Amino acid sequence: MKNNIASIILAAGKGERMKSETPKVLHRVCGRPMVNYVLDLVKELKIKNNVVVLGHKAEEVKKVIPEGFKIAIQKKLAGTADAVKEALPKLAGISGSILVLYGDIPLLKKETLKNLLGQHVNSGADLTVLTATLDKPSGYGRILRDRYSAICGIVEEKDADDFEKDIKEINTGIFCVKKDKLEKLIKRIRPNNRKKEYYLTDIFNLIYKNGGVVEGMKISDIDEAMGINSRVELAKAIRIMQGRINEKFMQQGVTIVASDSVFINFGVKIGTDSVIYPFTVIENDVKIGKRCSVGPFAHLREGTELKDEVLAGNFIEFVRSRIGSKTFLKHFCYIGDTHIGSKANIGAGTVTANFDGQNKNLTEIKDSAFVGCDTIIVAPAKIGKSAVTGAGSVILRHQNIKDGETVAGVPAKIIKRKR
Ligand code: UD1
Ligand code: CA
C-alpha cells in the first residue's frame, strides 16, 4: 500500500504485569509470539519501511523478527515516546506519515488498519488515532476532547482524575502521524507524570496546542483494540484468536464439532471434509489432509502430518510423525518420530518407544501393515509391508520385520513367514 507511510512497532517493554521471565511480546497466542501478529499487519499492507524497537532481552526477541524489519534498540526503557525517538533515525530521509503500533495488540485486523490509513491520507489530519468506547475502560489512556469535541489530548489512567477516569473512549495506541510533526514535537515531551516516563501519548496535546489537527476513528469491534498486559488478558486474547482460527477452518470446509473445546495453533493446515471431534489439541506445524477424522481427545504435536482419509481416534498423541492415507489408528496410541505408510491398521494401545534416554529414534511402519493391540515398538525399528504383529508383541530395537511376516510375543518372534 501507501509508499508514503512507514511504521514503528514498539516491543521493547518488559511487561511487568505479566510477572514473567519471558518478554511480554514473546508470550504466545495460539502457538505464536504475539508480536508476530502485529508484524504481519504491516507486511500485509505492503508498508516498506518498518522499524521494530527492542529493548528488554532484545537478543531473545530479535530471533522471532522476520527479515525485512529494521531494528532499533532502546537502551533504557524510559517510555513509549523514548522508544519512538530511538526508531526515528532509522527512517531518516523518508517523508510522509508514520504508523505507530504496539507489539501487544495481536487481535488487530488488517481491514481496520487499512481504513485508518485511508482516513489519515484523505483527511490530511496531522494525526489520526484509532479509539474505542469501552464499558470498563480501566488500564487504557482516555481520550480528551475539547468543547467542540475535537481530540485535544490523552490522559493515562494513572494520572487521571475521577472525572477523566469516567471517560469511556480510550486510546488503542494505534495511530498515524505526519513525520515532520512527530519529529519536531516529540523532543518536547517531558516525563511529568506518575511513572516518570516519556509518554508518546503527550504528542496528541502538543499537536493540538500547536494548531495541528488530531482526528479519531472509532473501532467497531472492540476486541481488536485489546492490549495484552496481564495473563488474564492473554487468556482472553487466546480465546478470541482461537475462535477466529476455528471459524476460518469451518469456512474452508472443515467440520469442528464443539469448537470451544478444540485448540488449533496458528499456521496449521487441514483439508476439506475433515472432521475434528471435541477436546482435540493441534499444535504448531501440523498438516491434516482431506476427509480425515481426528479425535475426540487427540493431541497432534509439532511436525505431524496426516495424509488424506486418516482415521485418528480417541486418546492418541502424535509427534513428528507422518501417517499415510487411509491408515487407521482408532484408539489410544503414542506415535512419536514414526513414518507409517498407507492403509495400515494400528491397533489399540500401540506405543512407539522413540526415546532411549538420549536420542529420539525413528520407527517405520510400511503400507498395509497390521499392528496388533498393545504392540510396543522400541525404536529404531521397522515393520514391513503387510507385516503383522500379534497382540502384546514387543518389537526390539533394530528389529526389522520383513514384508508379509507375522511376529508375536515378548520379544517378538517370527511365527509365519511370507508365503
Ligand atoms: C499504552 C498507552 C495507552 C493506551 C494503551 C493501549 C502510553 C503512554 N500509553 O499503555 O494510552 O491506552 O497502550 O494498549 O503509550 N514499550 C517500549 N518501550 C518503553 C515502554 C513501552 O517499547 O519504554 C512498548 C511495550 O513493549 C509495548 C508498548 O510499548 O508493546 C506499550 O507499552 P505498555 O507498557 O503496554 O503501555 P500501556 O500501559 O498498555
Ligand atoms: Ca499495553
Side-chain angles (χ1 to χ4, degrees):
M1 202 182 158
K2 330 263 183 284
N3 291 328
N4 53 345
I5 289 182
S7 85
I8 297 178
I9 297 127
L10 305 190
K14 180 164 184 253
E16 287 292 347
R17 291 161 279 184
M18 295 298 279
K19 309 240 162 44
S20 176
E21 297 274 312
T22 305
K24 176 168 74 178
V25 296
L26 291 186
H27 279 263
R28 286 169 187 266
V29 172
C30 299
R32 190 178 196 225
M34 63 172 100
V35 66
N36 288 96
Y37 292 96
V38 181
L39 302 182
D40 277 356
L41 293 171
V42 296
K43 282 281 151 200
E44 283 169 19
L45 290 172
K46 303 205 164 41
I47 299 176
K48 288 203 190 78
N49 294 295
N50 306 294
V51 184
V52 187
V53 185
L54 304 181
H56 176 67
K57 298 199 176 170
E59 285 309 310
E60 208 180 319
V61 183
K62 214 182 209 166
K63 288 185 193 138
V64 309
I65 310 295
E67 296 248 312
F69 286 90
K70 290 178 195 145
I71 290 178
I73 301 289
Q74 189 187 9
K75 279 149 241 117
K76 192 169 159 265
L77 302 180
T80 43
D82 179 64
V84 168
K85 259 189 256 167
E86 295 288 354
L88 282 170
K90 301 264 173 195
L91 296 171
I94 292 168
S95 59
S97 286
I98 292 180
L99 170 67
V100 177
L101 294 170
Y102 293 166
D104 65 351
I105 44 158
L107 298 173
L108 184 68
K109 288 184 183 162
K110 182 182 79 181
E111 293 71 34
T112 309
L113 261 192
K114 216 171 159 177
N115 291 340
L116 179 80
L117 299 185
Q119 176 176 328
H120 181 73
V121 170
N122 292 335
S123 76
D126 295 296
L127 185 156
T128 312
V129 60
L130 206 56
T131 75
T133 305
L134 306 184
D135 285 342
K136 289 189 193 125
S138 68
Y140 291 97
R142 309 295 206 277
I143 301 283
L144 304 177
R145 288 182 181 267
D146 68 11
R147 60 192 166 123
Y148 304 105
S149 96
I151 296 175
C152 57
I154 290 178
V155 60
E156 290 305 305
E157 179 160 278
K158 279 208 167 82
D159 306 298
D161 60 30
D162 286 349
F163 171 75
E164 289 163 337
K165 273 187 189 142
D166 272 347
I167 298 172
K168 302 268 189 279
E169 191 184 10
I170 62 106
N171 168 32
T172 63
I174 300 148
F175 65 88
C176 204
V177 59
K178 284 188 180 157
K179 188 173 176 240
D180 50 356
K181 288 270 159 85
L182 176 70
E183 271 178 327
K184 193 171 127 209
L185 296 171
I186 200 166
K187 294 178 196 138
R188 296 201 210 155
I189 294 177
R190 292 283 164 266
N192 299 328
N193 52 58
R194 295 267 310 262
K195 283 176 85 181
K196 303 272 178 289
E197 281 186 0
Y198 294 84
Y199 285 168
L200 182 58
T201 42
D202 287 351
I203 201 83
F204 287 63
N205 183 251
L206 283 168
I207 291 178
Y208 177 83
K209 273 199 312 209
N210 286 277
V213 178
V214 179
E215 284 200 346
M217 193 184 105
K218 269 198 189 156
I219 210 167
S220 45
D221 172 8
I222 53 169
D223 287 345
E224 280 191 54
M226 203 172 134
I228 314 301
N229 298 319
S230 68
R231 307 263 184 172
V232 174
E233 284 160 348
L234 179 67
K236 271 190 208 156
I238 291 172
R239 190 163 42 75
I240 294 164
M241 184 64 80
Q242 193 63 74
R244 285 188 196 168
I245 290 175
N246 291 9
E247 222 173 286
K248 197 161 167 214
F249 280 122
M250 293 184 241
Q251 275 155 4
Q252 290 166 354
V254 175
T255 292
I256 301 180
V257 179
S259 177
D260 284 349
S261 72
V262 170
F263 304 90
I264 307 175
N265 276 355
F266 177 91
V268 164
K269 298 204 165 55
I270 308 179
T272 50
D273 285 320
S274 282
V275 181
I276 313 296
Y277 286 95
F279 306 104
T280 290
V281 176
I282 305 177
E283 297 185 353
N284 289 354
D285 195 20
V286 170
K287 244 169 108 180
I288 297 172
K290 295 178 182 164
R291 298 178 297 283
C292 289
S293 172
V294 176
F297 301 98
H299 187 186
L300 279 63
R301 293 171 51 205
E302 78 278 358
T304 293
E305 181 177 5
L306 311 184
K307 297 279 188 196
D308 297 344
E309 293 175 50
V310 168
L311 215 156
N314 32 217
F315 306 107
I316 293 195
E317 176 180 344
F318 293 99
V319 67
R320 297 176 302 271
S321 290
R322 280 204 317 257
I323 316 299
S325 59
K326 296 194 166 103
T327 284
F328 289 6
L329 314 90
K330 286 179 123 174
H331 337 267
F332 37 97
C333 291
Y334 169 65
I335 305 293
D337 299 291
T338 299
H339 297 165
I340 306 181
S342 60
K343 293 187 184 159
N345 188 83
I346 311 297
T350 297
V351 168
T352 56
N354 59 330
F355 188 49
D356 58 16
Q358 254 154 6
N359 298 306
K360 302 282 168 69
N361 302 299
L362 184 73
T363 295
E364 275 185 88
I365 301 174
K366 298 294 185 190
D367 295 350
S368 304
F370 186 97
V371 175
C373 291
D374 249 335
T375 296
I376 293 174
I377 304 163
V378 185
K382 199 166 156 186
I383 296 179
K385 247 188 188 170
S386 304
V388 175
T389 71
S393 324
V394 174
I395 313 299
L396 295 185
R397 233 170 114 75
H398 301 298
Q399 210 172 335
N400 181 357
I401 316 294
K402 303 229 165 53
D403 294 352
E405 259 176 18
T406 300
V407 297
V410 181
K413 295 198 176 67
I414 299 168
I415 57 171
K416 207 160 99 192
R417 297 203 186 267
K418 190 177 177 184
R419 269 173 285 153

